[in-house]
Amino acid sequence: MHKENEFILAIQKVLEPKQILLNEPMKYHTTFKIGGPADYLLLPASLDELTEVLAAVKSYDMPLTILGNGSNVLVLDRGIRGVVIKFDKSFAYLKQKEDSVVAGAGALLKDVSKFAARCGLTGMEFAVGIPGSIGGAVFMNAGAYDGEISHIVSAVTAVSRDGEVKRFERKELDFGYRHSVFQENGDIICEIELSLMSGIHTEIHDKMGDLTQRRESRQPLEMPSAGSTFKRPVGHFAGTLIEQSGLKGFRIGGAQVSPKHAGFVINAGDAKAQDVLDLINEVQRLVYEKHGVKLYPEVRTLGEK
């Protein structure tokens, strides 16, 4: 406990009490509404605070996890050991720079999309309904409706675990399907520059309205989930394979294959992370048995079982 006490004292010199949450249940910080406690959930409000927190994390050799908006992740039932850093509203700033938008990593995709629309800029419409932060979207190269974050990112400012501020140009980001360089290098995404184009306000708003309507009519947005559960298998759609396997509505504990869209596993009522894992495993097994296609989760798991 000696090391932990010293670590807390060091952090208290950097952050306000409201930015330091101890043994914080992660179900309050994920879109799945699932997850055990994080030992230390820290909410730095600036780049300076972030680098000082990282220095303390390194000095006291604390395990470190970075969390965006908590979408696309499943926090396991025993929670997360060590430090979780989450970017909230202080890292959600948005600025226009000619035909570009500069966004703090904590800005929600829907807010970035709406900001770009107000600026008369097109290219961000596809992301209006994706339930995540722009930082998380870059980390995972999020996409929807033929749009992808890699198509519009021009540069990223990140901080290494050692506190070094780095700038990555587009060609250095190693974007692929649900992949970026940050999954390998461990650097922390702080700011994103998006290269957009001038557009016509009415056309931008009409496209956003159409995509929002399509998403709301087809996806179980009223239920807690982590978004699409599985990566798209080559030549197939995961949701279609799952539905054709007779698994729509299939349930284990509180976790359920959405009756509305089989590509989503939802928290249908006080689900445990283990319920979700068991359901994912069973879906994988039955889809492979019926169709010979392997499904791989898109959702990232964090923490301890």
Side-chain angles (χ1 to χ4, degrees), residues 34 53 79 87 92 111 115 121 136 141 206 214 246 261 287:
I34 294 172
V53 166
F87 294 139
D111 294 334
F115 178 80
L121 298 175
N141 188 19
D206 286 349
R214 288 165 65 184
H261 189 312
V287 167

Side-chain angles (χ1 to χ4, degrees), residues 186-197:
D187 291 346
I188 301 161
I189 299 163
C190 295
E191 185 177 271
I192 300 94
E193 295 177 27
L194 304 170
S195 181
L196 304 173
M197 295 180 293

Side-chain angles (χ1 to χ4, degrees), residues 16 28 37 48 51 65 87 92 129 133 138 142 146 156 166-167 191 200-201 210-211 246 263 283:
E16 299 290 331
Y28 299 131
D48 287 343
T51 55
T65 301
F87 294 139
S133 65
V138 170
D146 298 324
V156 173
K166 302 179 180 179
R167 179 180 169 87
E191 185 177 271
I200 299 169
H201 276 279
D210 176 56
L211 293 179
V283 168

Side-chain angles (χ1 to χ4, degrees), residues 61-265:
D61 194 27
M62 304 294 287
L64 176 61
T65 301
I66 306 300
L67 189 71
N69 188 48
S71 62
N72 208 52
V73 297
L74 174 67
V75 176
L76 300 178
D77 293 318
R78 290 182 61 194
I80 305 176
R81 303 289 68 79
V83 173
V84 177
I85 291 177
K86 181 181 179 183
F87 294 139
D88 61 1
K89 294 174 183 175
S90 301
F91 264 95
Y93 55 85
L94 295 165
K95 297 180 284 190
Q96 181 184 7
K97 192 168 66 176
E98 297 177 342
D99 285 350
S100 295
V101 167
V102 178
L108 298 181
L109 284 167
K110 65 178 182 180
D111 294 334
V112 182
S113 297
K114 290 173 181 176
F115 178 80
R118 290 197 300 272
C119 295
L121 298 175
T122 183
M124 191 70 197
E125 293 92 330
F126 74 93
V128 68
I130 300 176
S133 65
I134 186 74
V138 170
F139 182 87
M140 289 296 296
N141 188 19
Y145 298 113
D146 298 324
E148 202 170 73
I149 207 75
S150 63
H151 299 163
I152 55 175
V153 173
S154 56
V156 173
T157 300
V159 177
S160 74
R161 305 283 170 128
D162 293 329
E164 178 190 358
V165 179
K166 302 179 180 179
R167 179 180 169 87
F168 292 81
E169 301 299 331
R170 182 192 183 97
K171 64 180 181 294
E172 300 173 290
L173 295 171
D174 192 27
F175 281 127
Y177 178 66
R178 301 297 177 262
H179 178 269
S180 75
V181 70
F182 301 103
Q183 294 174 24
E184 270 81 54
N185 65 21
D187 291 346
I188 301 161
I189 299 163
C190 295
E191 185 177 271
I192 300 94
E193 295 177 27
L194 304 170
S195 181
L196 304 173
M197 295 180 293
S198 293
I200 299 169
H201 276 279
T202 53
E203 292 180 1
I204 295 168
H205 284 283
D206 286 349
K207 185 174 182 180
M208 287 170 62
D210 176 56
L211 293 179
T212 299
Q213 189 276 327
R214 288 165 65 184
R215 186 177 287 271
E216 288 176 348
S217 66
R218 298 175 186 178
Q219 298 182 7
L221 304 183
E222 70 281 1
M223 300 297 291
S225 80
S228 297
T229 304
F230 297 98
K231 294 179 180 178
R232 186 178 63 244
V234 176
H236 300 276
F237 292 101
T240 302
L241 292 174
I242 296 166
E243 184 171 354
Q244 289 173 348
S245 301
L247 295 171
K248 215 172 188 183
F250 180 59
R251 182 167 177 161
I252 293 179
Q256 184 181 33
V257 176
S258 168
K260 190 172 184 180
H261 189 312
F264 288 69
V265 170

